[in-house]
Amino acid sequence: MLTKKQIQLLEFIQKRMTRDGVPPSFDEMKDALDLRSKSGIHRLVTALEERGFIRRLPHRARALEIVRLPEALADLAPARDKSVTSFTPRVVSNNRPSPQPRGAMSVVDSGAVELPLMGRIAAGVPIEAISEASHNISVPGTMLSGREHHYALEVKGDSMIEAGINDGDVVVIREQNTADNGDIIVALVDGHEATLKRYRRRGAMIALEAANSAYETRILPEESVRVQGRLVGLIRSY
């Protein structure tokens, strides 16, 4: 039998992973459950892990996987069954055909799509803006949504490790110019710096939040930040 707080935490984690593709940070869990400190979240996570509802993934900062949901949250599980597979990086083969224009997609088989790899995105100190595709990369079609354009970027830096995004990972981005609070986005700063951060609007200012306590949140005027896309998937090579 789970406590009310344990069920609330499971529900929050599952909804955020469904929306963002990555688990929430412990700070976000603390705020969502209205707890005073992260120690309470650690206790809840440990209890859920001991009961077999979640699993902590090794060698990844605070990465969680939902193993199953209780009956009270069964409606959050995929329709095909009552178990949930949460955000887990997928290893895909990467042949390198000639580049295609940004946003171009071509079906390579029934389950994979080729996307242009547009270069590197900073998860740390911003780097120069992304411009041209270097080559293509195959990604699972299930990562993509609708008819929107998508592209891929190689992550450089460790500022998003607490969201399960490591240096060297490839992120799949859906092109869009708007974002909701909490989205992990590609932000163009002052027209020449590109960075991968969590988006928060604070009145007329935009906060670009890292998922690593070693990095400070950047607070910028709204006109200095241009949203170029939202994270929808991640690929990791081992």
Coordinates of all heavy atoms in Angstrom, one line a residue, residues 50-120:
E50 N 12.1 0.6 -3.2 CA 12.1 -0.6 -2.4 C 10.8 -1.4 -2.7 O 10.8 -2.6 -2.7 CB 12.1 -0.2 -0.9 CG 13.5 0.3 -0.5 CD 13.5 0.7 0.9 OE1 12.4 0.9 1.5 OE2 14.6 1.0 1.5
R51 N 9.7 -0.7 -3.1 CA 8.5 -1.4 -3.4 C 8.3 -1.8 -4.9 O 7.3 -2.3 -5.3 CB 7.3 -0.5 -3.0 CG 7.1 -0.4 -1.5 CD 6.3 0.8 -1.1 NE 6.0 0.8 0.4 CZ 6.9 1.3 1.3 NH1 8.1 1.7 0.9 NH2 6.6 1.2 2.5
G52 N 9.4 -1.5 -5.7 CA 9.4 -1.9 -7.1 C 8.6 -1.1 -8.0 O 8.3 -1.5 -9.2
F53 N 8.3 0.2 -7.7 CA 7.6 1.0 -8.6 C 8.5 1.9 -9.5 O 8.1 2.2 -10.6 CB 6.6 2.0 -7.8 CG 5.5 1.2 -7.2 CD1 5.5 0.8 -5.9 CD2 4.3 1.0 -8.0 CE1 4.4 0.1 -5.4 CE2 3.2 0.3 -7.5 CZ 3.3 -0.1 -6.2
I54 N 9.7 2.2 -9.0 CA 10.6 2.9 -9.8 C 12.0 2.3 -9.7 O 12.3 1.5 -8.8 CB 10.7 4.4 -9.4 CG1 11.3 4.5 -8.0 CG2 9.4 5.1 -9.5 CD1 11.5 6.0 -7.6
R55 N 12.9 2.7 -10.6 CA 14.3 2.2 -10.5 C 15.2 3.3 -10.8 O 15.0 4.1 -11.7 CB 14.5 1.1 -11.6 CG 15.9 0.5 -11.7 CD 16.0 -0.7 -12.5 NE 15.4 -0.6 -13.8 CZ 14.5 -1.3 -14.3 NH1 14.0 -2.3 -13.6 NH2 14.0 -1.1 -15.6
R56 N 16.3 3.5 -10.0 CA 17.3 4.5 -10.3 C 18.3 3.9 -11.2 O 18.8 2.8 -11.0 CB 17.9 4.9 -9.0 CG 17.1 5.9 -8.2 CD 17.8 6.4 -7.0 NE 17.3 5.8 -5.8 CZ 17.3 6.4 -4.6 NH1 17.7 7.6 -4.5 NH2 16.9 5.8 -3.5
L57 N 18.6 4.7 -12.3 CA 19.5 4.2 -13.3 C 20.9 4.5 -12.9 O 21.2 5.7 -12.6 CB 19.2 4.8 -14.7 CG 17.7 4.5 -15.1 CD1 17.5 5.2 -16.5 CD2 17.4 3.0 -15.2
P58 N 21.9 3.6 -13.0 CA 23.2 3.8 -12.5 C 24.0 4.7 -13.4 O 23.7 4.8 -14.6 CB 23.8 2.4 -12.5 CG 23.1 1.6 -13.5 CD 21.7 2.2 -13.4
H59 N 25.0 5.5 -12.8 CA 25.9 6.3 -13.5 C 25.2 7.4 -14.3 O 25.8 8.0 -15.2 CB 26.7 5.5 -14.5 CG 27.3 4.2 -13.9 ND1 28.1 4.3 -12.8 CD2 27.2 2.9 -14.3 CE1 28.5 3.0 -12.5 NE2 27.9 2.2 -13.4
R60 N 24.0 7.8 -13.9 CA 23.3 8.9 -14.5 C 22.7 9.7 -13.3 O 22.1 9.2 -12.5 CB 22.3 8.5 -15.4 CG 22.8 7.9 -16.7 CD 21.7 7.2 -17.5 NE 20.6 8.2 -17.7 CZ 19.4 7.8 -18.1 NH1 19.1 6.6 -18.3 NH2 18.5 8.7 -18.3
A61 N 23.0 11.0 -13.3 CA 22.6 11.9 -12.2 C 21.1 11.9 -12.0 O 20.3 12.3 -12.9 CB 23.1 13.3 -12.4
R62 N 20.6 11.3 -10.9 CA 19.2 11.4 -10.5 C 18.2 10.9 -11.7 O 17.1 11.4 -11.8 CB 18.8 12.8 -10.1 CG 19.5 13.2 -8.8 CD 18.8 14.3 -8.1 NE 18.5 15.5 -8.9 CZ 18.7 16.7 -8.5 NH1 19.1 16.9 -7.3 NH2 18.3 17.7 -9.2
A63 N 18.7 10.0 -12.5 CA 17.8 9.4 -13.5 C 16.9 8.3 -13.0 O 17.4 7.4 -12.3 CB 18.7 8.9 -14.7
L64 N 15.7 8.4 -13.3 CA 14.7 7.5 -12.8 C 13.9 6.8 -13.9 O 13.7 7.4 -15.0 CB 13.6 8.2 -11.9 CG 14.2 9.0 -10.7 CD1 13.0 9.8 -10.0 CD2 14.9 8.1 -9.7
E65 N 13.5 5.6 -13.6 CA 12.7 4.8 -14.6 C 11.5 4.3 -13.8 O 11.6 3.7 -12.7 CB 13.5 3.7 -15.2 CG 12.7 2.9 -16.2 CD 13.5 1.7 -16.8 OE1 14.4 1.2 -16.0 OE2 13.3 1.4 -17.9
I66 N 10.3 4.5 -14.3 CA 9.1 4.0 -13.7 C 8.9 2.5 -14.2 O 8.8 2.3 -15.4 CB 7.9 4.8 -14.0 CG1 8.0 6.2 -13.3 CG2 6.6 4.1 -13.5 CD1 6.8 7.1 -13.5
V67 N 8.9 1.6 -13.3 CA 8.8 0.2 -13.6 C 7.3 -0.2 -13.7 O 6.9 -0.9 -14.7 CB 9.5 -0.7 -12.5 CG1 9.3 -2.2 -12.8 CG2 10.9 -0.3 -12.4
R68 N 6.5 0.3 -12.9 CA 5.0 0.0 -12.9 C 4.3 1.1 -12.2 O 4.9 1.8 -11.4 CB 4.7 -1.4 -12.3 CG 5.1 -1.5 -10.8 CD 5.0 -3.0 -10.4 NE 5.4 -3.2 -9.0 CZ 4.5 -3.2 -8.0 NH1 3.2 -3.1 -8.2 NH2 4.9 -3.4 -6.7
L69 N 3.0 1.1 -12.4 CA 2.1 2.1 -11.7 C 1.1 1.3 -10.8 O 0.7 0.2 -11.2 CB 1.4 2.9 -12.7 CG 2.2 3.9 -13.5 CD1 1.4 4.6 -14.5 CD2 2.9 5.0 -12.6
P70 N 0.7 1.9 -9.7 CA -0.3 1.3 -8.9 C -1.6 1.4 -9.6 O -1.8 2.2 -10.5 CB -0.3 2.1 -7.6 CG 0.2 3.5 -8.0 CD 1.2 3.2 -9.1
E71 N -2.6 0.7 -9.1 CA -3.9 0.7 -9.7 C -4.6 2.1 -9.7 O -5.3 2.4 -10.6 CB -4.8 -0.3 -8.9 CG -6.2 -0.5 -9.5 CD -7.0 -1.6 -8.8 OE1 -6.4 -2.3 -8.0 OE2 -8.2 -1.6 -9.0
A72 N -4.2 2.9 -8.7 CA -4.8 4.2 -8.6 C -4.4 5.1 -9.8 O -5.0 6.1 -10.1 CB -4.4 4.9 -7.3
L73 N -3.2 4.8 -10.4 CA -2.7 5.5 -11.5 C -2.7 4.8 -12.8 O -2.0 5.1 -13.8 CB -1.3 6.0 -11.2 CG -1.1 6.9 -10.0 CD1 0.4 7.2 -9.8 CD2 -1.9 8.1 -10.1
A74 N -3.5 3.7 -12.9 CA -3.5 2.9 -14.1 C -3.9 3.6 -15.3 O -3.4 3.3 -16.4 CB -4.5 1.7 -13.9
D75 N -4.7 4.7 -15.2 CA -5.1 5.4 -16.4 C -3.9 6.2 -17.0 O -4.0 6.7 -18.2 CB -6.2 6.4 -16.1 CG -5.9 7.4 -15.0 OD1 -5.0 7.1 -14.1 OD2 -6.4 8.5 -15.0
L76 N -2.8 6.3 -16.3 CA -1.6 7.0 -16.9 C -0.7 6.1 -17.7 O 0.1 6.5 -18.4 CB -0.8 7.6 -15.8 CG -1.4 8.7 -15.0 CD1 -0.4 9.3 -13.9 CD2 -1.9 9.9 -15.8
A77 N -1.0 4.8 -17.6 CA -0.2 3.8 -18.3 C -0.6 3.8 -19.8 O -1.7 4.1 -20.1 CB -0.3 2.4 -17.7
P78 N 0.4 3.4 -20.7 CA 0.0 3.2 -22.1 C -1.1 2.2 -22.3 O -1.3 1.3 -21.5 CB 1.3 2.7 -22.7 CG 2.4 3.1 -21.8 CD 1.8 3.1 -20.4
A79 N -1.9 2.4 -23.3 CA -3.1 1.6 -23.5 C -2.8 0.2 -23.7 O -3.6 -0.7 -23.5 CB -3.9 2.2 -24.7
R80 N -1.6 -0.1 -24.3 CA -1.3 -1.5 -24.6 C -1.1 -2.4 -23.4 O -1.3 -3.6 -23.5 CB 0.0 -1.6 -25.5 CG 1.2 -1.0 -24.8 CD 2.4 -1.1 -25.8 NE 3.6 -0.5 -25.1 CZ 4.0 0.7 -25.1 NH1 3.2 1.6 -25.7 NH2 5.1 1.1 -24.5
D81 N -0.7 -1.8 -22.2 CA -0.7 -2.6 -21.0 C -0.6 -1.7 -19.8 O -0.7 -0.5 -20.0 CB 0.5 -3.6 -21.0 CG 1.9 -2.9 -21.2 OD1 2.0 -1.8 -20.6 OD2 2.7 -3.4 -21.9
K82 N -0.5 -2.3 -18.6 CA -0.5 -1.4 -17.4 C 0.9 -1.1 -16.9 O 1.0 -0.6 -15.8 CB -1.3 -2.2 -16.3 CG -2.8 -2.4 -16.7 CD -3.5 -1.1 -17.0 CE -4.9 -1.3 -17.3 NZ -5.6 -0.1 -17.6
S83 N 1.9 -1.5 -17.6 CA 3.3 -1.2 -17.2 C 3.7 0.0 -18.0 O 3.2 0.3 -19.1 CB 4.2 -2.3 -17.4 OG 4.3 -2.6 -18.8
V84 N 4.7 0.8 -17.4 CA 5.2 2.0 -18.1 C 6.7 1.9 -18.2 O 7.4 1.6 -17.3 CB 4.8 3.2 -17.2 CG1 5.4 4.5 -17.8 CG2 3.3 3.4 -17.1
T85 N 7.1 2.2 -19.4 CA 8.6 2.3 -19.7 C 8.8 3.8 -19.8 O 8.3 4.4 -20.7 CB 9.0 1.6 -20.9 OG1 8.7 0.2 -20.8 CG2 10.5 1.7 -21.2
S86 N 9.6 4.3 -18.9 CA 9.9 5.7 -18.8 C 11.1 6.1 -19.7 O 11.6 5.3 -20.5 CB 10.1 6.2 -17.4 OG 11.3 5.5 -16.9
F87 N 11.5 7.3 -19.6 CA 12.5 7.9 -20.4 C 13.8 7.1 -20.3 O 14.4 6.9 -19.2 CB 12.8 9.3 -20.0 CG 14.0 9.9 -20.7 CD1 14.0 10.2 -22.0 CD2 15.2 10.1 -20.0 CE1 15.1 10.8 -22.6 CE2 16.3 10.6 -20.6 CZ 16.3 11.0 -21.9
T88 N 14.3 6.5 -21.4 CA 15.5 5.7 -21.4 C 16.2 6.0 -22.7 O 15.6 5.9 -23.7 CB 15.3 4.2 -21.3 OG1 14.6 4.0 -20.1 CG2 16.6 3.5 -21.2
P89 N 17.5 6.5 -22.7 CA 18.1 6.7 -24.0 C 18.2 5.4 -24.8 O 18.4 4.3 -24.3 CB 19.6 7.1 -23.5 CG 19.4 7.6 -22.2 CD 18.3 6.8 -21.5
R90 N 17.9 5.6 -26.1 CA 17.9 4.5 -27.0 C 19.2 4.5 -27.9 O 19.5 5.6 -28.4 CB 16.7 4.6 -27.9 CG 15.4 4.7 -27.2 CD 14.2 4.9 -28.1 NE 13.0 5.1 -27.4 CZ 11.8 5.3 -28.0 NH1 11.7 5.2 -29.3 NH2 10.8 5.5 -27.2
V91 N 19.8 3.4 -28.1 CA 20.9 3.3 -29.0 C 20.4 2.9 -30.4 O 19.7 2.0 -30.6 CB 21.9 2.2 -28.5 CG1 23.1 2.1 -29.4 CG2 22.3 2.4 -27.1
V92 N 20.8 3.8 -31.3 CA 20.4 3.6 -32.7 C 21.6 3.6 -33.6 O 22.6 4.2 -33.3 CB 19.3 4.6 -33.2 CG1 18.1 4.5 -32.4 CG2 19.9 6.0 -33.2
S93 N 21.6 2.9 -34.7 CA 22.7 2.9 -35.6 C 22.7 4.3 -36.3 O 21.7 4.9 -36.5 CB 22.5 1.8 -36.7 OG 21.3 2.0 -37.4
N94 N 23.9 4.7 -36.7 CA 24.1 6.0 -37.2 C 24.9 5.9 -38.5 O 26.2 6.1 -38.4 CB 24.7 7.0 -36.2 CG 24.9 8.4 -36.8 OD1 24.3 8.7 -37.8 ND2 25.8 9.2 -36.1
N95 N 24.3 5.6 -39.6 CA 25.0 5.7 -40.9 C 25.1 7.2 -41.2 O 24.3 8.0 -40.7 CB 24.4 4.9 -42.0 CG 22.9 5.2 -42.1 OD1 22.4 6.1 -41.4 ND2 22.3 4.5 -43.1
R96 N 25.9 7.6 -42.1 CA 26.1 9.0 -42.4 C 26.0 9.4 -43.9 O 26.9 9.6 -44.5 CB 27.5 9.5 -41.9 CG 27.6 9.3 -40.4 CD 28.8 10.0 -39.8 NE 28.8 10.0 -38.4 CZ 29.7 10.7 -37.7 NH1 30.6 11.5 -38.2 NH2 29.6 10.7 -36.4
P97 N 24.7 9.4 -44.3 CA 24.5 9.8 -45.7 C 24.7 11.3 -45.8 O 25.0 12.0 -44.9 CB 23.1 9.5 -46.0 CG 22.4 9.5 -44.6 CD 23.5 9.0 -43.7
S98 N 24.7 11.9 -47.1 CA 24.9 13.3 -47.3 C 23.9 14.1 -46.6 O 22.7 13.7 -46.4 CB 24.8 13.6 -48.8 OG 23.6 13.2 -49.3
P99 N 24.3 15.3 -46.2 CA 23.3 16.2 -45.4 C 22.1 16.6 -46.2 O 22.2 16.6 -47.4 CB 24.2 17.4 -45.1 CG 25.6 17.0 -45.2 CD 25.6 15.9 -46.3
Q100 N 21.0 16.8 -45.5 CA 19.8 17.4 -46.1 C 19.5 18.7 -45.5 O 20.1 19.0 -44.4 CB 18.6 16.4 -45.9 CG 18.8 15.1 -46.6 CD 17.6 14.2 -46.4 OE1 16.6 14.7 -45.8 NE2 17.7 13.0 -46.8
P101 N 18.7 19.5 -46.1 CA 18.3 20.8 -45.5 C 17.7 20.7 -44.1 O 17.1 19.7 -43.8 CB 17.3 21.4 -46.5 CG 17.6 20.7 -47.8 CD 18.0 19.3 -47.4
R102 N 17.9 21.7 -43.3 CA 17.4 21.7 -41.9 C 15.9 21.4 -41.9 O 15.1 21.9 -42.7 CB 17.6 23.0 -41.3 CG 17.0 23.1 -39.9 CD 17.4 24.4 -39.2 NE 16.8 24.5 -37.9 CZ 17.2 25.3 -37.0 NH1 18.1 26.2 -37.3 NH2 16.6 25.4 -35.8
G103 N 15.5 20.4 -41.1 CA 14.1 20.0 -40.9 C 13.7 19.0 -41.9 O 12.6 18.4 -41.7
A104 N 14.5 18.7 -42.9 CA 14.1 17.6 -43.9 C 14.1 16.3 -43.2 O 15.0 15.9 -42.4 CB 15.0 17.6 -45.1
M105 N 13.1 15.4 -43.5 CA 13.0 14.1 -43.0 C 12.8 13.1 -44.1 O 12.0 13.4 -45.1 CB 11.9 14.0 -42.0 CG 12.1 14.8 -40.7 SD 10.8 14.4 -39.5 CE 9.4 15.0 -40.3
S106 N 13.4 12.0 -44.1 CA 13.1 10.9 -45.1 C 13.0 9.6 -44.3 O 13.8 9.3 -43.4 CB 14.3 10.8 -46.1 OG 15.5 10.5 -45.5
V107 N 12.0 8.8 -44.7 CA 11.8 7.5 -44.0 C 12.8 6.5 -44.5 O 13.0 6.3 -45.7 CB 10.4 7.0 -44.2 CG1 10.2 5.7 -43.6 CG2 9.4 8.0 -43.7
V108 N 13.6 5.9 -43.6 CA 14.6 4.9 -44.0 C 14.1 3.5 -43.8 O 14.6 2.6 -44.4 CB 15.9 5.2 -43.2 CG1 16.5 6.5 -43.7 CG2 15.7 5.1 -41.7
D109 N 13.2 3.3 -42.9 CA 12.4 2.0 -42.7 C 11.2 2.3 -41.9 O 10.9 3.5 -41.6 CB 13.3 0.9 -42.1 CG 13.8 1.3 -40.7 OD1 13.0 1.8 -39.9 OD2 15.0 1.0 -40.4
S110 N 10.4 1.3 -41.6 CA 9.1 1.5 -41.0 C 9.3 2.1 -39.6 O 8.3 2.7 -39.1 CB 8.4 0.2 -40.9 OG 9.1 -0.8 -40.2
G111 N 10.4 1.9 -38.9 CA 10.5 2.4 -37.6 C 11.6 3.5 -37.4 O 11.7 4.0 -36.2
A112 N 12.3 3.9 -38.4 CA 13.3 4.9 -38.2 C 13.2 6.0 -39.2 O 12.7 5.8 -40.3 CB 14.7 4.3 -38.4
V113 N 13.6 7.2 -38.8 CA 13.6 8.4 -39.7 C 14.9 9.1 -39.6 O 15.6 9.1 -38.6 CB 12.5 9.4 -39.2 CG1 12.5 10.7 -39.9 CG2 11.1 8.7 -39.3
E114 N 15.3 9.6 -40.8 CA 16.6 10.3 -40.8 C 16.4 11.8 -40.5 O 15.5 12.4 -41.2 CB 17.3 10.2 -42.2 CG 18.0 8.8 -42.3 CD 19.0 8.8 -43.5 OE1 19.1 9.9 -44.2 OE2 19.6 7.8 -43.7
L115 N 17.1 12.4 -39.6 CA 17.1 13.8 -39.3 C 18.5 14.4 -39.5 O 19.5 13.7 -39.3 CB 16.7 14.0 -37.8 CG 15.3 13.6 -37.4 CD1 15.1 13.9 -35.9 CD2 14.2 14.2 -38.2
P116 N 18.5 15.7 -39.9 CA 19.8 16.3 -40.0 C 20.4 16.6 -38.6 O 19.7 17.1 -37.7 CB 19.4 17.7 -40.7 CG 18.0 17.9 -40.3 CD 17.4 16.5 -40.2
L117 N 21.7 16.3 -38.5 CA 22.4 16.6 -37.2 C 23.0 18.0 -37.5 O 23.9 18.2 -38.3 CB 23.5 15.6 -36.9 CG 24.2 15.8 -35.6 CD1 23.3 15.5 -34.4 CD2 25.5 14.9 -35.5
M118 N 22.5 19.0 -36.7 CA 22.8 20.4 -37.0 C 24.0 20.9 -36.3 O 24.3 22.1 -36.2 CB 21.6 21.3 -36.6 CG 20.3 20.9 -37.3 SD 20.4 21.1 -39.1 CE 20.6 22.8 -39.2
G119 N 24.8 20.0 -35.7 CA 26.0 20.4 -35.0 C 25.9 20.2 -33.5 O 25.1 19.3 -33.0
R120 N 26.5 21.0 -32.7 CA 26.5 20.9 -31.2 C 25.7 21.9 -30.6 O 25.6 23.1 -31.0 CB 28.0 20.9 -30.7 CG 28.8 19.7 -31.0 CD 30.2 19.8 -30.4 NE 30.9 18.5 -30.5 CZ 32.1 18.3 -30.0 NH1 32.7 19.3 -29.4 NH2 32.7 17.2 -30.1

